[in-house]
Amino acid sequence: MKRILRVAVVAMCALTAAAPASAQLGKLGKALGKADDAAAKAQKLKAMYDSLVFTDAEEQQLGQQVSDKLRVRYGVVQDKAVHKYVTLVGTVLAQASSRPNLPWKFIVLDTDGVNAYAAPGGFIHITRGALSLLQSESELADVLGHEIAHVTEKHTIKAIQQGKLVALTAEMTRNQIMSAVADKSYEILFEGAYDRGQELDADEKGVALANKAGYAPGGLGAFLARLDERNKNNPDRNGLFASHPATKERIEKLANEIRTQKLSSTAIVAGRYKASITYKPVPVTEISQITAGASGLAGSSSSTKAGGTKSSGSKLGLGKLSALGGEKKSTATIASAGARGGVPDRDAKGGSNPAIVGVTVTAAEIAEFKKGIVG
Ligand SMILES: [Zn+2]
Protein backbone atom coordinates (compact mmCIF):
# COMPACT_ATOMS: atom_id res chain seq x y z
CA MET A 1 0.00 0.00 0.00
CA LYS A 2 2.73 2.41 1.05
CA ARG A 3 4.61 1.64 -2.10
CA ILE A 4 1.65 2.41 -4.32
CA LEU A 5 1.21 5.75 -2.58
CA ARG A 6 4.84 6.59 -3.19
CA VAL A 7 4.48 5.74 -6.88
CA ALA A 8 1.41 7.96 -7.04
CA VAL A 9 3.33 10.84 -5.48
CA VAL A 10 6.21 10.34 -7.88
CA ALA A 11 3.73 10.26 -10.74
CA MET A 12 2.18 13.53 -9.70
CA CYS A 13 5.60 15.16 -9.35
CA ALA A 14 6.54 13.86 -12.74
CA LEU A 15 3.42 15.19 -14.39
CA THR A 16 3.58 18.61 -12.76
CA ALA A 17 7.32 19.19 -13.02
CA ALA A 18 7.32 19.00 -16.83
CA ALA A 19 10.63 18.95 -18.75
CA PRO A 20 13.23 18.43 -16.00
CA ALA A 21 11.43 15.27 -15.02
CA SER A 22 11.40 13.72 -18.48
CA ALA A 23 13.86 10.98 -17.48
CA GLN A 24 11.68 10.07 -14.57
CA LEU A 25 8.61 10.12 -16.75
CA GLY A 26 10.26 7.64 -19.10
CA LYS A 27 10.91 5.26 -16.22
CA LEU A 28 7.38 5.69 -15.02
CA GLY A 29 6.01 5.01 -18.48
CA LYS A 30 7.96 1.78 -18.59
CA ALA A 31 6.64 0.75 -15.18
CA LEU A 32 3.10 1.55 -16.22
CA GLY A 33 3.63 -0.37 -19.44
CA LYS A 34 4.78 -3.38 -17.45
CA ALA A 35 1.72 -3.10 -15.23
CA ASP A 36 -0.42 -3.00 -18.38
CA ASP A 37 1.32 -6.12 -19.67
CA ALA A 38 0.74 -7.92 -16.40
CA ALA A 39 -2.89 -6.85 -16.36
CA ALA A 40 -3.34 -7.95 -19.95
CA LYS A 41 -1.72 -11.27 -19.18
CA ALA A 42 -3.92 -11.78 -16.14
CA GLN A 43 -6.93 -10.85 -18.25
CA LYS A 44 -5.93 -13.33 -20.91
CA LEU A 45 -5.39 -16.08 -18.36
CA LYS A 46 -8.77 -15.41 -16.83
CA ALA A 47 -10.30 -15.67 -20.29
CA MET A 48 -8.47 -18.96 -20.81
CA TYR A 49 -9.81 -20.42 -17.58
CA ASP A 50 -13.26 -19.15 -18.49
CA SER A 51 -12.92 -20.87 -21.84
CA LEU A 52 -12.33 -24.26 -20.25
CA VAL A 53 -15.75 -25.02 -21.60
CA PHE A 54 -15.66 -27.80 -24.09
CA THR A 55 -17.81 -28.73 -27.03
CA ASP A 56 -19.35 -32.20 -26.92
CA ALA A 57 -16.71 -33.36 -29.38
CA GLU A 58 -13.89 -31.99 -27.22
CA GLU A 59 -15.43 -33.48 -24.12
CA GLN A 60 -15.43 -36.89 -25.80
CA GLN A 61 -11.83 -36.38 -26.88
CA LEU A 62 -10.97 -35.71 -23.22
CA GLY A 63 -12.95 -38.74 -22.09
CA GLN A 64 -11.18 -40.90 -24.66
CA GLN A 65 -7.79 -39.82 -23.33
CA VAL A 66 -8.85 -40.45 -19.73
CA SER A 67 -10.34 -43.83 -20.65
CA ASP A 68 -7.12 -44.82 -22.43
CA LYS A 69 -5.20 -44.21 -19.22
CA LEU A 70 -7.69 -46.13 -17.07
CA ARG A 71 -7.71 -49.07 -19.48
CA VAL A 72 -3.91 -49.20 -19.61
CA ARG A 73 -3.76 -49.05 -15.81
CA TYR A 74 -6.40 -51.71 -15.06
CA GLY A 75 -6.92 -53.65 -18.29
CA VAL A 76 -10.31 -54.57 -19.71
CA VAL A 77 -12.24 -57.78 -19.06
CA GLN A 78 -12.24 -59.41 -22.48
CA ASP A 79 -15.72 -60.82 -22.12
CA LYS A 80 -18.38 -59.83 -24.63
CA ALA A 81 -21.34 -61.22 -22.65
CA VAL A 82 -20.43 -59.24 -19.53
CA HIS A 83 -19.93 -56.07 -21.56
CA LYS A 84 -23.20 -56.59 -23.36
CA TYR A 85 -25.11 -56.96 -20.11
CA VAL A 86 -23.53 -53.90 -18.46
CA THR A 87 -24.04 -51.94 -21.68
CA LEU A 88 -27.74 -52.85 -21.78
CA VAL A 89 -28.31 -51.66 -18.21
CA GLY A 90 -26.19 -48.56 -18.82
CA THR A 91 -27.87 -47.71 -22.10
CA VAL A 92 -31.36 -47.92 -20.61
CA LEU A 93 -30.21 -45.36 -18.03
CA ALA A 94 -28.26 -43.16 -20.44
CA GLN A 95 -31.26 -42.91 -22.76
CA ALA A 96 -33.36 -41.70 -19.83
CA SER A 97 -30.67 -39.18 -18.79
CA SER A 98 -30.39 -35.49 -19.65
CA ARG A 99 -27.74 -36.27 -22.28
CA PRO A 100 -29.12 -39.27 -24.17
CA ASN A 101 -27.20 -38.50 -27.34
CA LEU A 102 -23.66 -38.82 -26.04
CA PRO A 103 -21.93 -41.89 -27.48
CA TRP A 104 -22.07 -43.68 -24.11
CA LYS A 105 -19.62 -46.52 -23.57
CA PHE A 106 -19.63 -48.99 -20.68
CA ILE A 107 -16.31 -50.61 -19.90
CA VAL A 108 -15.55 -53.34 -17.36
CA LEU A 109 -12.05 -52.98 -15.93
CA ASP A 110 -10.07 -56.11 -15.15
CA THR A 111 -9.24 -55.71 -11.47
CA ASP A 112 -10.40 -57.06 -8.11
CA GLY A 113 -10.36 -53.51 -6.71
CA VAL A 114 -13.84 -52.09 -6.15
CA ASN A 115 -14.25 -48.92 -8.16
CA ALA A 116 -16.14 -47.07 -10.85
CA TYR A 117 -14.93 -44.13 -12.91
CA ALA A 118 -16.86 -41.69 -15.07
CA ALA A 119 -14.72 -40.03 -17.72
CA PRO A 120 -16.08 -36.94 -19.53
CA GLY A 121 -18.12 -37.45 -22.66
CA GLY A 122 -19.82 -40.69 -21.62
CA PHE A 123 -17.07 -43.22 -20.87
CA ILE A 124 -18.30 -45.17 -17.85
CA HIS A 125 -15.95 -47.68 -16.26
CA ILE A 126 -16.79 -50.19 -13.56
CA THR A 127 -14.42 -52.78 -12.17
CA ARG A 128 -14.83 -56.54 -12.02
CA GLY A 129 -14.41 -56.14 -8.24
CA ALA A 130 -17.37 -53.76 -8.05
CA LEU A 131 -19.53 -56.13 -10.11
CA SER A 132 -18.58 -58.98 -7.76
CA LEU A 133 -19.85 -57.02 -4.76
CA LEU A 134 -23.15 -55.91 -6.32
CA GLN A 135 -26.09 -58.23 -5.80
CA SER A 136 -28.75 -57.15 -8.25
CA GLU A 137 -29.41 -55.24 -11.45
CA SER A 138 -31.00 -52.41 -9.47
CA GLU A 139 -27.78 -51.98 -7.47
CA LEU A 140 -25.79 -51.93 -10.70
CA ALA A 141 -28.25 -49.41 -12.14
CA ASP A 142 -27.94 -47.18 -9.08
CA VAL A 143 -24.14 -47.26 -9.26
CA LEU A 144 -24.09 -46.64 -13.03
CA GLY A 145 -26.67 -43.89 -12.49
CA HIS A 146 -24.26 -42.21 -10.06
CA GLU A 147 -21.44 -42.38 -12.62
CA ILE A 148 -23.69 -41.20 -15.47
CA ALA A 149 -24.65 -38.20 -13.34
CA HIS A 150 -20.96 -37.26 -12.98
CA VAL A 151 -20.90 -37.05 -16.79
CA THR A 152 -24.23 -35.32 -17.39
CA GLU A 153 -23.35 -32.72 -14.74
CA LYS A 154 -19.79 -32.36 -16.12
CA HIS A 155 -18.41 -32.62 -12.60
CA THR A 156 -14.79 -33.24 -13.56
CA ILE A 157 -14.57 -30.34 -15.97
CA LYS A 158 -16.39 -28.01 -13.59
CA ALA A 159 -14.01 -28.95 -10.77
CA ILE A 160 -11.04 -28.13 -12.99
CA GLN A 161 -12.51 -24.87 -14.22
CA GLN A 162 -13.77 -23.60 -10.89
CA GLY A 163 -10.72 -24.72 -8.95
CA LYS A 164 -8.31 -23.58 -11.69
CA LEU A 165 -6.75 -27.00 -11.25
CA VAL A 166 -4.61 -26.95 -14.36
CA ALA A 167 -1.76 -24.50 -14.73
CA LEU A 168 -2.43 -22.59 -17.91
CA THR A 169 -0.04 -20.20 -19.58
CA ALA A 170 -0.96 -17.62 -22.16
CA GLU A 171 1.18 -19.42 -24.73
CA MET A 172 -0.64 -22.77 -24.60
CA THR A 173 -2.42 -24.08 -27.67
CA ARG A 174 -5.87 -25.61 -27.43
CA ASN A 175 -4.38 -29.10 -27.80
CA GLN A 176 -1.94 -28.49 -24.98
CA ILE A 177 -4.80 -27.27 -22.82
CA MET A 178 -6.84 -30.37 -23.69
CA SER A 179 -3.92 -32.60 -22.72
CA ALA A 180 -3.46 -30.82 -19.41
CA VAL A 181 -7.18 -31.10 -18.67
CA ALA A 182 -7.18 -34.80 -19.59
CA ASP A 183 -4.25 -35.43 -17.24
CA LYS A 184 -5.96 -33.58 -14.43
CA SER A 185 -9.28 -35.35 -15.09
CA TYR A 186 -7.55 -38.70 -14.79
CA GLU A 187 -5.94 -37.62 -11.55
CA ILE A 188 -9.29 -36.54 -10.12
CA LEU A 189 -10.85 -39.90 -11.03
CA PHE A 190 -7.85 -41.94 -9.92
CA GLU A 191 -7.62 -40.18 -6.57
CA GLY A 192 -11.37 -40.04 -6.04
CA ALA A 193 -11.08 -36.32 -5.58
CA TYR A 194 -14.58 -35.15 -6.39
CA ASP A 195 -15.76 -32.84 -3.67
CA ARG A 196 -18.48 -33.76 -1.24
CA GLY A 197 -21.07 -31.63 -3.01
CA GLN A 198 -20.47 -33.35 -6.34
CA GLU A 199 -20.67 -36.81 -4.76
CA LEU A 200 -23.96 -36.00 -3.08
CA ASP A 201 -25.25 -34.49 -6.33
CA ALA A 202 -24.30 -37.65 -8.25
CA ASP A 203 -25.93 -39.83 -5.57
CA GLU A 204 -29.15 -37.86 -5.77
CA LYS A 205 -29.36 -37.64 -9.55
CA GLY A 206 -28.11 -41.20 -10.01
CA VAL A 207 -30.80 -42.90 -7.98
CA ALA A 208 -33.47 -40.61 -9.45
CA LEU A 209 -32.33 -41.72 -12.91
CA ALA A 210 -32.39 -45.42 -11.99
CA ASN A 211 -35.81 -44.94 -10.44
CA LYS A 212 -37.03 -43.27 -13.63
CA ALA A 213 -35.93 -46.39 -15.55
CA GLY A 214 -37.92 -48.58 -13.17
CA TYR A 215 -35.17 -49.70 -10.79
CA ALA A 216 -35.54 -49.65 -7.01
CA PRO A 217 -33.57 -46.59 -5.85
CA GLY A 218 -32.34 -48.15 -2.59
CA GLY A 219 -29.53 -50.09 -4.24
CA LEU A 220 -26.84 -47.45 -3.94
CA GLY A 221 -27.34 -47.03 -0.20
CA ALA A 222 -27.32 -50.82 0.22
CA PHE A 223 -24.12 -51.10 -1.77
CA LEU A 224 -22.40 -48.28 0.13
CA ALA A 225 -23.32 -49.95 3.41
CA ARG A 226 -21.93 -53.27 2.15
CA LEU A 227 -18.73 -51.61 1.01
CA ASP A 228 -18.39 -49.92 4.38
CA GLU A 229 -18.88 -53.23 6.14
CA ARG A 230 -16.29 -54.84 3.85
CA ASN A 231 -13.73 -52.22 4.83
CA LYS A 232 -14.45 -52.09 8.55
CA ASN A 233 -11.62 -54.32 9.73
CA ASN A 234 -9.06 -52.17 8.11
CA PRO A 235 -6.90 -50.85 10.97
CA ASP A 236 -5.85 -47.62 9.30
CA ARG A 237 -9.35 -46.98 8.18
CA ASN A 238 -10.57 -47.38 11.72
CA GLY A 239 -8.09 -44.76 12.75
CA LEU A 240 -8.86 -42.37 9.99
CA PHE A 241 -12.52 -42.93 9.32
CA ALA A 242 -13.93 -44.36 12.52
CA SER A 243 -15.86 -41.22 13.23
CA HIS A 244 -16.09 -39.86 9.75
CA PRO A 245 -19.67 -39.32 8.72
CA ALA A 246 -19.12 -39.48 4.96
CA THR A 247 -20.70 -42.83 4.15
CA LYS A 248 -23.29 -42.60 6.86
CA GLU A 249 -24.22 -39.13 5.69
CA ARG A 250 -24.55 -40.32 2.11
CA ILE A 251 -26.74 -43.24 3.08
CA GLU A 252 -28.96 -40.98 5.17
CA LYS A 253 -29.20 -38.36 2.44
CA LEU A 254 -30.08 -41.06 -0.09
CA ALA A 255 -32.85 -42.41 2.12
CA ASN A 256 -34.14 -38.89 2.62
CA GLU A 257 -34.05 -38.19 -1.10
CA ILE A 258 -35.98 -41.37 -1.86
CA ARG A 259 -38.58 -40.39 0.72
CA THR A 260 -39.03 -36.74 -0.21
CA GLN A 261 -38.95 -37.30 -3.98
CA LYS A 262 -41.26 -40.27 -3.55
CA LEU A 263 -38.99 -42.48 -5.63
CA SER A 264 -41.04 -45.64 -5.65
CA SER A 265 -39.82 -47.92 -8.42
CA THR A 266 -39.52 -51.50 -7.26
CA ALA A 267 -37.56 -53.57 -9.81
CA ILE A 268 -34.61 -55.37 -8.17
CA VAL A 269 -33.91 -57.91 -10.93
CA ALA A 270 -31.53 -60.07 -8.93
CA GLY A 271 -32.04 -63.18 -11.04
CA ARG A 272 -30.87 -61.68 -14.30
CA TYR A 273 -27.93 -60.04 -12.54
CA LYS A 274 -26.75 -63.31 -11.02
CA ALA A 275 -27.20 -65.10 -14.32
CA SER A 276 -25.06 -62.48 -16.08
CA ILE A 277 -22.40 -61.66 -13.47
CA THR A 278 -20.73 -64.52 -11.66
CA TYR A 279 -17.59 -62.90 -10.23
CA LYS A 280 -16.78 -63.71 -6.62
CA PRO A 281 -15.65 -60.87 -4.39
CA VAL A 282 -12.04 -60.90 -3.19
CA PRO A 283 -11.62 -59.79 0.45
CA VAL A 284 -10.04 -56.38 0.62
CA THR A 285 -6.99 -57.75 2.43
CA GLU A 286 -6.34 -60.26 -0.34
CA ILE A 287 -6.44 -57.99 -3.33
CA SER A 288 -3.16 -58.16 -5.23
CA GLN A 289 -1.39 -54.83 -5.25
CA ILE A 290 0.97 -53.17 -7.64
CA THR A 291 4.48 -53.34 -6.23
CA ALA A 292 6.64 -50.69 -4.68
CA GLY A 293 8.36 -48.56 -7.23
CA ALA A 294 5.92 -49.43 -9.99
CA SER A 295 4.20 -46.52 -11.58
CA GLY A 296 0.72 -46.03 -10.29
CA LEU A 297 -0.22 -44.97 -13.77
CA ALA A 298 1.32 -47.81 -15.69
CA GLY A 299 0.52 -50.69 -13.42
CA SER A 300 2.72 -53.68 -12.79
CA SER A 301 2.72 -57.37 -13.34
CA SER A 302 3.95 -58.54 -9.97
CA SER A 303 1.80 -58.67 -6.92
CA THR A 304 1.82 -58.39 -3.16
CA LYS A 305 -0.90 -58.60 -0.59
CA ALA A 306 -2.76 -55.66 0.77
CA GLY A 307 -3.07 -56.91 4.33
CA GLY A 308 -3.54 -54.27 6.95
CA THR A 309 -3.70 -51.36 4.58
CA LYS A 310 -5.94 -48.37 4.39
CA SER A 311 -9.50 -48.45 3.23
CA SER A 312 -10.91 -48.20 -0.23
CA GLY A 313 -10.30 -45.09 -2.22
CA SER A 314 -13.42 -45.86 -4.14
CA LYS A 315 -14.36 -43.56 -6.94
CA LEU A 316 -17.88 -44.18 -5.80
CA GLY A 317 -16.64 -41.69 -3.26
CA LEU A 318 -16.47 -44.01 -0.32
CA GLY A 319 -12.86 -43.86 0.69
CA LYS A 320 -11.82 -40.55 -0.77
CA LEU A 321 -8.55 -40.55 1.10
CA SER A 322 -7.26 -37.63 -0.83
CA ALA A 323 -10.31 -35.49 -0.32
CA LEU A 324 -11.18 -36.42 3.23
CA GLY A 325 -7.97 -37.55 4.80
CA GLY A 326 -5.65 -34.93 3.44
CA GLU A 327 -3.46 -37.67 2.05
CA LYS A 328 -3.24 -36.60 -1.53
CA LYS A 329 0.00 -38.04 -2.83
CA SER A 330 1.81 -38.20 -6.07
CA THR A 331 1.27 -41.45 -7.90
CA ALA A 332 4.91 -42.31 -7.34
CA THR A 333 4.44 -42.05 -3.60
CA ILE A 334 1.25 -44.05 -3.81
CA ALA A 335 2.99 -46.77 -5.76
CA SER A 336 5.93 -46.97 -3.42
CA ALA A 337 3.55 -46.97 -0.49
CA GLY A 338 2.31 -50.05 -2.34
CA ALA A 339 1.45 -52.96 -0.13
CA ARG A 340 1.55 -51.19 3.21
CA GLY A 341 0.33 -47.65 3.08
CA GLY A 342 -1.69 -47.65 -0.13
CA VAL A 343 -5.31 -47.87 -1.03
CA PRO A 344 -6.09 -51.51 -1.88
CA ASP A 345 -8.89 -50.86 -4.36
CA ARG A 346 -7.10 -48.12 -6.21
CA ASP A 347 -3.67 -49.72 -6.02
CA ALA A 348 -4.99 -53.11 -7.07
CA LYS A 349 -3.27 -55.01 -9.80
CA GLY A 350 -4.99 -54.84 -13.16
CA GLY A 351 -5.21 -56.93 -16.30
CA SER A 352 -2.89 -56.50 -19.25
CA ASN A 353 -5.27 -55.97 -22.16
CA PRO A 354 -6.50 -52.38 -22.55
CA ALA A 355 -8.56 -53.03 -25.69
CA ILE A 356 -12.18 -51.93 -25.62
CA VAL A 357 -14.60 -54.83 -26.06
CA GLY A 358 -16.92 -53.58 -28.75
CA VAL A 359 -20.58 -54.39 -28.26
CA THR A 360 -23.62 -52.91 -29.91
CA VAL A 361 -27.14 -52.95 -28.62
CA THR A 362 -30.05 -52.45 -30.99
CA ALA A 363 -33.28 -50.62 -30.19
CA ALA A 364 -35.09 -53.96 -30.33
CA GLU A 365 -32.67 -55.51 -27.82
CA ILE A 366 -33.14 -52.57 -25.47
CA ALA A 367 -36.93 -52.82 -25.74
CA GLU A 368 -36.75 -56.53 -24.97
CA PHE A 369 -34.32 -55.94 -22.09
CA LYS A 370 -36.63 -53.34 -20.54
CA LYS A 371 -39.38 -55.93 -20.25
CA GLY A 372 -37.22 -57.62 -17.63
CA ILE A 373 -37.14 -54.51 -15.43
CA VAL A 374 -40.05 -55.44 -13.25
CA GLY A 375 -40.43 -55.65 -9.52
ZN1 LIG B 1 -18.83 -40.39 -7.54
Side-chain angles (χ1 to χ4, degrees), residues 217-269:
L220 183 55
F223 178 64
L224 288 174
R226 193 175 311 132
L227 200 46
D228 206 32
E229 176 68 17
R230 162 191 183 261
N231 294 334
K232 76 175 179 186
N233 289 326
N234 208 310
D236 284 337
R237 174 179 185 280
N238 287 338
L240 190 59
F241 288 103
S243 61
H244 207 287
T247 303
K248 203 166 165 257
E249 181 196 7
R250 284 177 70 183
I251 292 171
E252 277 166 10
K253 279 202 157 32
L254 277 164
N256 191 48
E257 177 69 14
I258 289 166
R259 209 167 35 242
T260 55
Q261 299 299 315
K262 298 187 169 60
L263 304 180
S264 56
S265 289
T266 54
I268 303 281
V269 203

Side-chain angles (χ1 to χ4, degrees), residues 132-172:
S132 76
L133 212 58
L134 293 165
Q135 294 182 349
S136 67
E137 196 170 299
S138 65
E139 288 187 1
L140 173 61
D142 286 351
V143 169
L144 292 179
H146 173 103
E147 299 304 326
I148 286 170
H150 277 313
V151 172
T152 58
E153 303 309 307
K154 305 186 183 184
H155 281 157
T156 313
I157 290 169
K158 278 182 190 164
I160 290 171
Q161 188 184 22
Q162 287 162 10
K164 295 188 170 36
L165 300 182
V166 291
L168 297 181
T169 63
E171 294 74 28
M172 284 168 89

Side-chain angles (χ1 to χ4, degrees), residues 54-280:
F54 300 97
T55 64
D56 279 5
E58 284 180 325
E59 202 187 329
Q60 285 151 35
Q61 197 185 319
L62 284 173
Q64 179 80 58
Q65 290 182 40
V66 173
S67 179
D68 284 349
K69 289 171 194 277
L70 284 168
R71 286 182 288 103
V72 166
R73 170 62 183 81
Y74 292 111
V76 176
V77 168
Q78 298 295 309
D79 185 324
K80 250 195 154 101
V82 165
H83 274 88
K84 180 111 184 181
Y85 176 68
V86 173
T87 299
L88 279 164
V89 177
T91 303
V92 166
L93 297 169
Q95 289 185 347
S97 79
S98 59
R99 301 180 77 189
N101 297 324
L102 289 181
W104 295 92
K105 276 202 166 45
F106 297 88
I107 298 159
V108 181
L109 297 174
D110 193 12
T111 174
D112 292 327
V114 175
N115 261 319
Y117 306 89
F123 295 82
I124 306 293
H125 310 74
I126 186 165
T127 64
R128 187 162 45 68
L131 292 178
S132 76
L133 212 58
L134 293 165
Q135 294 182 349
S136 67
E137 196 170 299
S138 65
E139 288 187 1
L140 173 61
D142 286 351
V143 169
L144 292 179
H146 173 103
E147 299 304 326
I148 286 170
H150 277 313
V151 172
T152 58
E153 303 309 307
K154 305 186 183 184
H155 281 157
T156 313
I157 290 169
K158 278 182 190 164
I160 290 171
Q161 188 184 22
Q162 287 162 10
K164 295 188 170 36
L165 300 182
V166 291
L168 297 181
T169 63
E171 294 74 28
M172 284 168 89
T173 64
R174 187 71 176 168
N175 266 346
Q176 287 170 326
I177 293 172
M178 296 277 289
S179 255
V181 173
D183 287 349
K184 182 52 75 174
S185 300
Y186 176 72
E187 196 185 311
I188 290 173
L189 297 191
F190 192 74
E191 306 248 6
Y194 288 117
D195 69 27
R196 178 176 162 278
Q198 288 186 329
E199 284 304 339
L200 294 175
D201 188 38
D203 279 354
E204 188 179 307
K205 292 194 165 73
V207 296
L209 177 60
N211 179 79
K212 188 177 167 190
Y215 291 109
L220 183 55
F223 178 64
L224 288 174
R226 193 175 311 132
L227 200 46
D228 206 32
E229 176 68 17
R230 162 191 183 261
N231 294 334
K232 76 175 179 186
N233 289 326
N234 208 310
D236 284 337
R237 174 179 185 280
N238 287 338
L240 190 59
F241 288 103
S243 61
H244 207 287
T247 303
K248 203 166 165 257
E249 181 196 7
R250 284 177 70 183
I251 292 171
E252 277 166 10
K253 279 202 157 32
L254 277 164
N256 191 48
E257 177 69 14
I258 289 166
R259 209 167 35 242
T260 55
Q261 299 299 315
K262 298 187 169 60
L263 304 180
S264 56
S265 289
T266 54
I268 303 281
V269 203
R272 184 159 70 183
Y273 186 81
K274 283 171 183 154
S276 308
I277 304 294
T278 55
Y279 301 128
K280 296 280 168 284

Side-chain angles (χ1 to χ4, degrees), residues 16-44:
T16 49
S22 60
Q24 265 191 2
L25 194 57
K27 246 189 218 168
L28 182 68
K30 241 183 218 166
L32 288 176
K34 263 188 196 157
D36 279 354
D37 283 354
K41 217 169 183 179
Q43 192 68 33
K44 184 170 181 196

